[in-house]
Amino acid sequence: MVRVGIVGGTGYTGAELLRILACHPEASLAVITSRTDAGMPVAEMFPHLRGRVDLTFSPPDTPALSECDLVFFATPNGTAMEAVPGLLTRGVRVIDLAADFRLKDPDLWQTWYGLPHACPELLEEAVYGLPELHREAIRAARLVANPGCYPTAVTLGFKPLLAEGVIDPGWLIADVKSGVSGAGRKATTGLLMAEVGESFKAYSVMGHRHAPEIEQNLSTYAEAPLRLTFVPHLLPMIRGIEATLYARLQRRDVELDELYRRHYANEPFVDPMPGGSHPDTRSVRGANLCRLTAVSPRNSDVVIVQSVIDNLVKGAAGQAVQNMNLMFGLEERLGLDALALLP
Amino acid sequence: MVRVGIVGGTGYTGAELLRILACHPEASLAVITSRTDAGMPVAEMFPHLRGRVDLTFSPPDTPALSECDLVFFATPNGTAMEAVPGLLTRGVRVIDLAADFRLKDPDLWQTWYGLPHACPELLEEAVYGLPELHREAIRAARLVANPGCYPTAVTLGFKPLLAEGVIDPGWLIADVKSGVSGAGRKATTGLLMAEVGESFKAYSVMGHRHAPEIEQNLSTYAEAPLRLTFVPHLLPMIRGIEATLYARLQRRDVELDELYRRHYANEPFVDPMPGGSHPDTRSVRGANLCRLTAVSPRNSDVVIVQSVIDNLVKGAAGQAVQNMNLMFGLEERLGLDALALLP
Amino acid sequence: MVRVGIVGGTGYTGAELLRILACHPEASLAVITSRTDAGMPVAEMFPHLRGRVDLTFSPPDTPALSECDLVFFATPNGTAMEAVPGLLTRGVRVIDLAADFRLKDPDLWQTWYGLPHACPELLEEAVYGLPELHREAIRAARLVANPGCYPTAVTLGFKPLLAEGVIDPGWLIADVKSGVSGAGRKATTGLLMAEVGESFKAYSVMGHRHAPEIEQNLSTYAEAPLRLTFVPHLLPMIRGIEATLYARLQRRDVELDELYRRHYANEPFVDPMPGGSHPDTRSVRGANLCRLTAVSPRNSDVVIVQSVIDNLVKGAAGQAVQNMNLMFGLEERLGLDALALLP
Amino acid sequence: MVRVGIVGGTGYTGAELLRILACHPEASLAVITSRTDAGMPVAEMFPHLRGRVDLTFSPPDTPALSECDLVFFATPNGTAMEAVPGLLTRGVRVIDLAADFRLKDPDLWQTWYGLPHACPELLEEAVYGLPELHREAIRAARLVANPGCYPTAVTLGFKPLLAEGVIDPGWLIADVKSGVSGAGRKATTGLLMAEVGESFKAYSVMGHRHAPEIEQNLSTYAEAPLRLTFVPHLLPMIRGIEATLYARLQRRDVELDELYRRHYANEPFVDPMPGGSHPDTRSVRGANLCRLTAVSPRNSDVVIVQSVIDNLVKGAAGQAVQNMNLMFGLEERLGLDALALLP
């Protein structure tokens, strides 16, 4: 039984971790902290957990964290990096669901996140927690950087094409769309239902923090410098990411369906669908799963990839639990076998 | 291991049964039929079941049904009553999720459902499958009539008040609201997203089939003739029922919170919340659970009950599996412990 | 040409006033204020007004307000009452869209709004701006209290029945539902799309500020003390209110359709629909209109009224412009003839 | 006063034409036909038109059409081409909102629409009704082919870049997203709210009928063969199209804001927004307007265009009325000055 703590449990990522861990047969939830809501029963804030999660939010400085085998950080960017070194020293392993340990280059991190990194010496050690790329390293890791939601969908989508030299790395386009839960549970006018309901728009067209993370992931597989155009959009719905990816074919001797099936043949949480499919986000709602498909329309030298995940599950909390399973020698699927909720 | 068949698996109730049964440790899904889609793989119609449900729809006359321990009917009203007698004769137990066996009076059934009942002799034997009312009878039943969605929410809401004579049975009002999945998966103009999205209305104000079902349930507990006004409404969302119930207090010596806690103390799937709560439908989305609360505003002789369920789970497929567990001597919660999906 | 000012133009009510007034042929928008956003062009905050409204938000103390013929207050409750006396003294007429002048009794106001009234001497003079009740008084008024959204829908629904003694005033139930724009444009966690989308709940079950307002309206028409149970609910959509009203018939010699048609025969903005109709909120979206209908199901002594409005139009800004038209001798429909936007 | 008829008025395009024409000061609606609903009052099908449109649907063969100055076809593809020659012969001018006259090449039409064209001799004469491209020809036209919704958004977005040789015509990508009203008012399982609500997906990835229409529009402005990748997506909302367009810059000496402002300087219904803007669909909901903006992120050779319209207004009925105004010498904005409905 893994003894687990959560730091910062009042956002959607924290709530989703609670939902998954409450049903996990080999995890025991020992402590959850909140700076603002310490003292409040968790089930009062999240009524869906009534009767199933009996914890009360603790203050962030609770010594109970040090007694955990594993601590998840579900905090805003810039918080985990202050506390992680201390926990590691005390032998606690860590999965950070924020961005603090995702980029290897501290200068790049500072450029995109606006403050100096507090423990750059840990960046090299931190393992990027996308099991489809780094499964073995995750098993042994003390510190896992759980990937961003967009990077999960985009990286899994482009990787087989780049790894086999099928596409030109110099002209990649990722047109991605996310439900509003991806923006978190902050009181912000721009996220009110009366603002984002029944409407659609792009945002951060001039640059988004997830672009360098994707570039870092994919550069490993590219034979030439990677050039990515990444445009996120906000969907009038709660959960789900769809990424439509465009690239130029530089080899035409490839059967795309076969390529994706082969690449993901042993992956429990990636479902390559046949060409001509149109994966929809609801088919992965609540499930730890990426469904994807790639096609090249007739007479075209463009390949189009569609990739869908639930941003809170395979894009955050589910992937974090998948990483926990790997780190503690558990069956990778444990606690993650829920089917998507459809309709 | 219970060997299970499903008749009519292409609607939302059938899909939800599949979702729940696919994760149930003591049920094995043997056959699923569809008149219109025989031959199609289930996972082609319902992409969320890809990789988890390998069945193909069989024609309705498949002999495989007779080899099941239990057959669920997820068919339109009037279908099950044609096939159930034959199955019972062959020793197959049946849970009907449609309305065929819900009303005890065949004339009343004909009035509301527009055709003569095909096997009125079974109406007396059929057990109304609301475990909170008829748990022991369900355990022994050959034939269970799974309750309607509205009747589940309304019956559980009013029952404690009527059973203890707290309210006047002659003036009950149920203002109920349902997500669109309650109307089924029929190609109908009136259920298009462009028709029902971003809008709200009442329907069937002059009379709805669920009213006599609720009256039948509650009359048992009423000391005087029951008079119920029942108005359903259509919500611009997919899953969830909320019932706001109004009645006149005829006793003032009752502590409402205590009454509900006591009545549902041993119920695994009813959660009485403290007075002043506002249960929301998302807190039960995907979960087999009814959350409810009752209050009487200051200086008022009116009691207001709020009751929420997921219409496809506690209002249909989840309740059916709860009944299956009871009928086959399994732990009542088996396969039904998923937490609600929130947000 | 009426010279118009708006105080507090950054909420939805203010934005809707701008939308309507920008197309009004006899109103000229002179000034709009905002405490927090003074200096920002209006069209920057509200992109739908780009190219049509060239104003910039002024600070609240701008002398330009005194030069207006009419000032609308679209401010939080408790703001208008501080500034209105000064404007009236300078000959400016006022329509307050908040609650400051709706209740005649200053003690009742303080009970529900939590602070002492700043100018109780104006409460008697203020005219309650529901034209269907007080058209002539509105024409002559210096100060109009624009009704609340729920009170508009409920008052218009119950009034014909009470005025003719058809129902028992001692047992009125109003089960009302509102889109989220009714809660305003405040940065609040509870109004995020990820919180209120795809969910439904009641709120303020123990008491809501609009109840005393409705009671004040209806008491005039009741032969006996009025007892109203009022339960508001939050709909997962943006615009629209539906009120389902229940009352006990005390006369059975009334033809309900005829009664409503007669009562509202000369009303340009009330549409009585035939019994058996189910008015939906989208049929009034964006329109200054209340559609309603009343029926009594067979063998029942209950009458059920359905009443729908757009909370921002007939429930706020549209009604305010209707009042402006009356106050300045303009045709009552001027600027208010837009059809509902459907789908 | 233009005497107007509508053929096929029971879809969303027909309903939107009715909404706009009912408020148009120089159009008088003489007749509206429906094959399936002849005899039904229009306001019974479309409750938002109650009290404002008194017509009853006529059968399609009504002679009243021949007495009109102008007939709009709001019919499925393939219907108008059967009836248009007869009407033209009788001196009636025609605007077809379907696709029958959009493509100049009858073979290409047959390839995409699956049947031979009934009057290929009219294809050359028909004027493609995008006023921003063909204003003068529209004024004189007997027969106008009203553009598709996607082609309107995409053509207006790419045209300035192509016309000035700024981008490489050989690598254009259009990632477009539409609300469900774009799919029409057909009873189809795939458009039920329970299917498309709270979900998102691409469709027609292998090819969509609007691609050849866009290519026909843009080829005029391209110096080299045009190669367009066009992927449509279905949004969980009712109205609105957003197109995100990607192209490779071949000239870097261009100030994009200036380019768009200059190109659309005299266009009443195109609003070029400053670079860095993120136009949202709600800012044009119900309005006859295309808002767009183009940027090139730092150090990138890609230009990103965002273009939004209401698919039923600038993408269909509003554009048709704009064409009518041009054809009959009316002020182009007449009847089209409604502001967007926001929120």
Side-chain angles (χ1 to χ4, degrees):
Chain A
M1 191 69 79
V2 185
R3 188 172 173 81
V4 166
I6 300 177
V7 177
T10 62
Y12 294 131
T13 304
E16 194 69 353
L17 265 178
L18 287 167
R19 185 181 71 86
I20 296 173
L21 292 172
C23 298
H24 194 289
E26 293 292 336
S28 105
L29 194 59
V31 59
I32 180 163
T33 73
S34 164
R35 190 172 306 278
T36 50
D37 294 287
M40 179 189 284
V42 168
E44 198 172 307
M45 177 169 294
F46 296 119
H48 64 309
L49 303 176
R50 265 178 67 88
R52 298 289 286 277
V53 173
D54 291 332
L55 290 172
T56 292
F57 289 112
S58 297
D61 56 358
T62 172
L65 290 173
S66 300
E67 294 155 25
C68 292
D69 300 310
L70 173 67
V71 168
F72 294 96
F73 281 82
T75 41
N77 297 321
T79 304
M81 64 185 186
E82 302 291 344
V84 162
L87 286 170
L88 293 179
T89 303
R90 284 187 287 276
V92 182
R93 295 167 87 179
V94 169
I95 298 177
D96 178 27
L97 286 85
D100 294 14
F101 299 96
R102 291 181 192 157
L103 299 182
K104 293 298 175 194
D105 177 346
D107 294 334
L108 190 63
W109 197 88
Q110 181 164 353
T111 300
W112 285 96
Y113 293 92
L115 66 175
H117 201 285
C119 49
E121 68 282 5
L122 286 174
L123 291 178
E124 200 47 49
E125 174 186 350
V127 178
Y128 189 78
L130 194 57
E132 293 78 9
L133 267 58
H134 305 297
R135 183 168 282 110
E136 293 315 310
I138 293 165
R139 290 193 209 274
R142 283 200 308 169
L143 170 57
V144 165
N146 212 58
C149 49
Y150 287 132
T152 296
V154 175
T155 302
L156 294 176
F158 271 134
K159 187 243 176 185
L161 296 171
L162 285 169
E164 306 219 0
V166 178
I167 55 173
D168 174 2
W171 231 78
L172 306 180
I173 287 174
D175 189 290
V176 295
K177 305 90 177 174
S178 174
V180 292
S181 63
R185 193 166 167 271
K186 295 176 294 285
T188 317
T189 305
L191 297 175
L192 298 181
M193 177 153 185
E195 296 291 311
V196 294
E198 282 290 303
S199 192
F200 183 75
K201 65 169 181 180
Y203 66 98
S204 298
V205 167
M206 299 305 285
H208 185 280
R209 291 165 171 181
H210 283 178
E213 185 180 334
I214 299 168
E215 286 163 356
Q216 177 179 283
N217 292 344
L218 294 179
S219 289
T220 318
Y221 305 98
E223 298 151 353
L226 199 86
R227 304 194 68 174
L228 170 73
T229 300
F230 174 84
V231 179
H233 301 72
L234 193 59
L235 285 165
M237 60 186 223
I238 298 176
R239 281 177 185 247
I241 280 180
E242 197 266 357
T244 305
L245 312 178
Y246 304 87
R248 192 190 295 240
L249 288 172
Q250 56 188 19
R251 284 175 48 199
R252 318 248 5 172
D253 57 341
V254 175
E255 210 281 296
L256 293 169
D257 279 8
E258 188 277 332
L259 173 69
Y260 277 74
R261 273 201 312 271
R262 177 161 44 80
H263 261 260
Y264 293 124
N266 298 314
E267 286 301 335
F269 297 118
V270 181
D271 175 23
M273 297 176 71
S277 299
H278 297 107
D280 50 1
T281 59
R282 64 181 189 148
S283 78
V284 296
R285 179 167 46 215
N288 192 55
L289 195 55
C290 174
R291 296 197 206 267
L292 37 62
T293 187
V295 288
S296 180
R298 198 162 40 94
N299 299 328
S300 167
D301 65 346
V302 175
V303 59
I304 304 165
V305 183
Q306 303 162 62
S307 170
V308 296
I309 59 170
D310 182 325
N311 54 298
L312 294 180
V313 190
K314 184 62 179 166
Q319 186 139 272
V321 172
Q322 186 180 353
N323 284 322
M324 177 190 82
N325 289 342
L326 290 168
M327 290 166 79
F328 288 86
L330 305 172
E331 211 282 307
E332 191 170 342
R333 301 173 202 239
L334 213 60
L336 294 171
D337 60 352
L339 280 161
L341 195 70
L342 176 158
Chain B
M1 190 69 78
V2 184
R3 189 174 171 80
V4 165
I6 300 177
V7 178
T10 62
Y12 294 130
T13 305
E16 193 70 351
L17 266 177
L18 288 166
R19 185 181 72 87
I20 297 172
L21 290 172
C23 298
H24 194 288
E26 293 291 336
S28 104
L29 194 58
V31 59
I32 180 164
T33 74
S34 164
R35 190 172 305 277
T36 51
D37 295 288
M40 179 188 283
V42 168
E44 199 172 307
M45 177 169 293
F46 296 119
H48 64 309
L49 304 176
R50 266 177 67 88
R52 298 290 287 278
V53 173
D54 292 331
L55 291 172
T56 292
F57 289 112
S58 299
D61 57 358
T62 173
L65 290 173
S66 300
E67 294 155 24
C68 292
D69 300 311
L70 173 67
V71 168
F72 293 97
F73 281 83
T75 43
N77 298 321
T79 304
M81 66 185 185
E82 300 291 345
V84 163
L87 285 170
L88 292 180
T89 302
R90 284 188 287 278
V92 181
R93 295 166 88 179
V94 169
I95 298 176
D96 177 28
L97 285 85
D100 294 15
F101 299 98
R102 290 181 193 157
L103 298 182
K104 292 299 175 192
D105 177 346
D107 295 334
L108 190 64
W109 196 88
Q110 182 164 352
T111 300
W112 285 97
Y113 292 91
L115 68 171
H117 202 283
C119 50
E121 68 282 4
L122 285 174
L123 291 178
E124 199 47 48
E125 176 186 347
V127 177
Y128 188 78
L130 194 56
E132 293 78 8
L133 267 59
H134 305 297
R135 182 167 282 112
E136 291 315 309
I138 293 165
R139 291 193 208 274
R142 284 200 305 168
L143 171 57
V144 163
N146 212 58
C149 49
Y150 288 133
T152 296
V154 176
T155 302
L156 293 176
F158 270 136
K159 188 242 175 183
L161 296 171
L162 284 169
E164 305 219 1
V166 177
I167 55 173
D168 174 2
W171 232 78
L172 305 180
I173 287 173
D175 190 291
V176 295
K177 304 90 176 174
S178 174
V180 293
S181 64
R185 193 165 167 273
K186 294 176 296 282
T188 316
T189 306
L191 297 175
L192 298 180
M193 178 152 182
E195 296 290 311
V196 294
E198 281 291 304
S199 192
F200 182 76
K201 65 169 180 180
Y203 66 97
S204 296
V205 167
M206 299 304 286
H208 185 281
R209 291 163 169 182
H210 283 178
E213 186 180 333
I214 298 167
E215 286 162 356
Q216 177 180 283
N217 292 344
L218 294 179
S219 289
T220 318
Y221 305 98
E223 298 152 351
L226 200 85
R227 304 194 69 176
L228 171 73
T229 300
F230 175 84
V231 179
H233 301 72
L234 193 59
L235 285 165
M237 62 186 222
I238 297 176
R239 282 177 185 245
I241 281 181
E242 195 267 358
T244 306
L245 312 178
Y246 303 88
R248 190 192 295 243
L249 287 172
Q250 55 188 18
R251 285 174 49 198
R252 317 248 7 174
D253 57 340
V254 175
E255 210 281 294
L256 292 168
D257 279 8
E258 186 279 331
L259 174 70
Y260 277 75
R261 274 202 310 272
R262 176 161 42 80
H263 261 259
Y264 292 124
N266 299 313
E267 288 301 335
F269 297 118
V270 180
D271 175 23
M273 297 176 70
S277 299
H278 297 106
D280 51 0
T281 60
R282 66 182 187 148
S283 77
V284 297
R285 180 167 46 215
N288 192 54
L289 195 54
C290 175
R291 296 198 206 266
L292 38 62
T293 187
V295 288
S296 181
R298 198 161 41 95
N299 300 328
S300 165
D301 64 345
V302 175
V303 59
I304 303 165
V305 182
Q306 302 162 63
S307 170
V308 296
I309 59 171
D310 182 324
N311 53 298
L312 294 180
V313 191
K314 184 63 179 167
Q319 185 138 272
V321 173
Q322 187 181 355
N323 284 321
M324 178 190 81
N325 288 344
L326 290 169
M327 291 166 79
F328 288 86
L330 304 171
E331 212 282 306
E332 191 169 343
R333 303 173 201 238
L334 213 61
L336 294 170
D337 59 351
L339 279 161
L341 196 69
L342 177 158
Chain C
M1 192 68 78
V2 184
R3 189 174 173 81
V4 166
I6 300 178
V7 178
T10 63
Y12 294 130
T13 305
E16 193 69 352
L17 265 177
L18 287 166
R19 186 181 70 87
I20 297 173
L21 291 172
C23 297
H24 194 289
E26 293 291 337
S28 104
L29 194 57
V31 59
I32 181 163
T33 73
S34 165
R35 191 171 305 276
T36 50
D37 295 287
M40 179 189 284
V42 168
E44 200 172 305
M45 177 170 294
F46 296 119
H48 65 308
L49 304 176
R50 265 177 67 87
R52 297 289 287 277
V53 173
D54 292 332
L55 290 173
T56 291
F57 289 111
S58 298
D61 57 358
T62 171
L65 290 172
S66 301
E67 293 154 27
C68 292
D69 300 310
L70 172 68
V71 168
F72 293 96
F73 281 82
T75 42
N77 298 321
T79 305
M81 65 185 185
E82 302 291 344
V84 163
L87 286 170
L88 292 179
T89 303
R90 285 187 286 277
V92 181
R93 295 166 88 179
V94 169
I95 298 178
D96 177 28
L97 284 85
D100 294 15
F101 299 96
R102 290 182 191 157
L103 298 182
K104 292 300 174 191
D105 177 346
D107 295 333
L108 190 63
W109 197 88
Q110 180 164 353
T111 300
W112 285 96
Y113 293 91
L115 67 173
H117 202 285
C119 50
E121 69 282 2
L122 285 174
L123 291 178
E124 199 47 49
E125 176 186 347
V127 178
Y128 188 78
L130 193 57
E132 292 78 6
L133 266 59
H134 306 296
R135 183 168 282 111
E136 292 316 309
I138 293 164
R139 291 193 209 276
R142 285 200 307 169
L143 170 58
V144 165
N146 212 57
C149 50
Y150 287 132
T152 296
V154 175
T155 302
L156 294 176
F158 270 135
K159 187 244 178 183
L161 295 171
L162 284 168
E164 305 218 2
V166 178
I167 55 173
D168 174 2
W171 232 78
L172 306 180
I173 288 174
D175 189 291
V176 296
K177 302 91 177 176
S178 175
V180 292
S181 63
R185 194 167 166 271
K186 294 176 294 283
T188 316
T189 306
L191 297 175
L192 298 181
M193 178 151 183
E195 297 290 311
V196 295
E198 281 290 305
S199 192
F200 182 75
K201 65 169 180 179
Y203 65 98
S204 297
V205 167
M206 300 304 286
H208 185 281
R209 291 164 171 182
H210 283 178
E213 186 179 335
I214 298 168
E215 286 162 356
Q216 177 180 284
N217 291 345
L218 294 178
S219 289
T220 319
Y221 304 99
E223 297 152 353
L226 200 86
R227 305 194 67 175
L228 170 73
T229 300
F230 174 84
V231 179
H233 300 72
L234 193 60
L235 285 164
M237 60 186 223
I238 298 176
R239 281 176 185 247
I241 281 180
E242 196 265 359
T244 306
L245 312 177
Y246 303 88
R248 191 190 296 241
L249 288 172
Q250 57 186 19
R251 285 174 49 198
R252 318 248 5 172
D253 57 339
V254 175
E255 210 280 295
L256 292 168
D257 278 10
E258 187 277 331
L259 174 69
Y260 276 75
R261 275 202 310 273
R262 177 161 42 80
H263 261 260
Y264 293 123
N266 298 314
E267 287 301 335
F269 297 118
V270 181
D271 175 23
M273 296 176 71
S277 299
H278 297 107
D280 50 1
T281 59
R282 66 183 187 146
S283 78
V284 296
R285 178 168 45 216
N288 192 55
L289 195 56
C290 175
R291 296 199 207 266
L292 38 61
T293 186
V295 288
S296 181
R298 197 163 42 94
N299 300 328
S300 165
D301 64 345
V302 174
V303 58
I304 303 165
V305 182
Q306 303 161 63
S307 171
V308 296
I309 60 170
D310 182 325
N311 54 297
L312 294 180
V313 190
K314 184 63 178 165
Q319 186 139 274
V321 172
Q322 187 180 354
N323 284 322
M324 176 190 83
N325 288 343
L326 290 168
M327 290 165 78
F328 288 86
L330 304 171
E331 211 283 305
E332 190 169 343
R333 304 174 200 239
L334 213 61
L336 294 171
D337 60 352
L339 279 161
L341 195 70
L342 176 158
Chain D
M1 190 70 78
V2 184
R3 188 173 171 82
V4 165
I6 300 177
V7 178
T10 63
Y12 294 131
T13 306
E16 193 70 351
L17 265 177
L18 287 166
R19 185 180 72 86
I20 297 172
L21 292 171
C23 298
H24 194 288
E26 292 291 336
S28 105
L29 194 58
V31 58
I32 180 162
T33 74
S34 163
R35 190 172 305 276
T36 50
D37 294 287
M40 179 189 283
V42 168
E44 200 173 304
M45 176 169 295
F46 295 118
H48 64 308
L49 303 176
R50 265 177 66 88
R52 298 289 288 276
V53 173
D54 292 331
L55 290 172
T56 292
F57 289 112
S58 299
D61 58 357
T62 172
L65 290 172
S66 301
E67 293 156 24
C68 292
D69 300 311
L70 172 68
V71 168
F72 293 97
F73 281 81
T75 43
N77 298 321
T79 304
M81 66 185 185
E82 301 292 343
V84 162
L87 286 170
L88 293 178
T89 303
R90 284 188 287 277
V92 181
R93 296 166 88 178
V94 169
I95 298 176
D96 178 27
L97 285 84
D100 294 15
F101 299 97
R102 289 181 193 158
L103 299 182
K104 292 298 175 193
D105 177 346
D107 294 334
L108 190 63
W109 196 89
Q110 182 165 351
T111 300
W112 284 96
Y113 292 93
L115 68 172
H117 202 284
C119 49
E121 68 281 4
L122 286 174
L123 291 178
E124 201 45 50
E125 176 185 349
V127 177
Y128 188 78
L130 193 56
E132 292 78 8
L133 266 59
H134 306 296
R135 181 167 283 111
E136 291 315 309
I138 293 165
R139 291 192 208 274
R142 285 199 307 168
L143 171 58
V144 165
N146 212 58
C149 49
Y150 288 132
T152 297
V154 176
T155 303
L156 294 176
F158 271 135
K159 188 243 176 182
L161 295 170
L162 284 168
E164 306 219 1
V166 178
I167 55 173
D168 174 1
W171 234 78
L172 305 181
I173 287 174
D175 189 292
V176 296
K177 304 90 177 174
S178 174
V180 293
S181 64
R185 193 166 166 272
K186 295 176 295 282
T188 317
T189 305
L191 297 175
L192 298 181
M193 177 151 184
E195 296 289 312
V196 295
E198 282 291 304
S199 192
F200 182 77
K201 65 169 181 181
Y203 67 97
S204 296
V205 167
M206 299 304 286
H208 185 280
R209 291 164 170 181
H210 284 176
E213 186 180 334
I214 298 167
E215 286 163 356
Q216 176 180 283
N217 292 345
L218 295 179
S219 289
T220 318
Y221 305 98
E223 298 152 353
L226 200 85
R227 303 196 70 175
L228 171 72
T229 300
F230 174 84
V231 179
H233 301 71
L234 193 59
L235 286 165
M237 60 185 224
I238 298 177
R239 283 177 185 245
I241 280 180
E242 195 267 357
T244 306
L245 313 177
Y246 303 88
R248 191 190 294 241
L249 288 172
Q250 56 187 19
R251 286 176 47 199
R252 319 247 7 171
D253 58 339
V254 175
E255 209 281 294
L256 293 168
D257 279 8
E258 187 278 332
L259 174 69
Y260 277 75
R261 274 202 310 272
R262 177 162 42 81
H263 261 260
Y264 293 124
N266 298 313
E267 287 302 335
F269 297 118
V270 180
D271 175 25
M273 297 176 69
S277 299
H278 296 106
D280 51 0
T281 60
R282 65 182 188 147
S283 78
V284 296
R285 179 166 46 213
N288 193 56
L289 195 56
C290 175
R291 296 199 207 265
L292 39 62
T293 186
V295 289
S296 181
R298 199 162 39 95
N299 299 328
S300 166
D301 65 345
V302 175
V303 58
I304 302 165
V305 183
Q306 304 161 64
S307 170
V308 296
I309 60 171
D310 182 325
N311 54 299
L312 295 180
V313 189
K314 183 62 178 168
Q319 185 138 273
V321 172
Q322 187 181 353
N323 284 321
M324 177 190 81
N325 288 343
L326 290 168
M327 291 166 78
F328 288 86
L330 304 171
E331 211 282 306
E332 192 169 342
R333 303 173 201 239
L334 213 61
L336 294 170
D337 59 352
L339 280 161
L341 196 68
L342 177 158

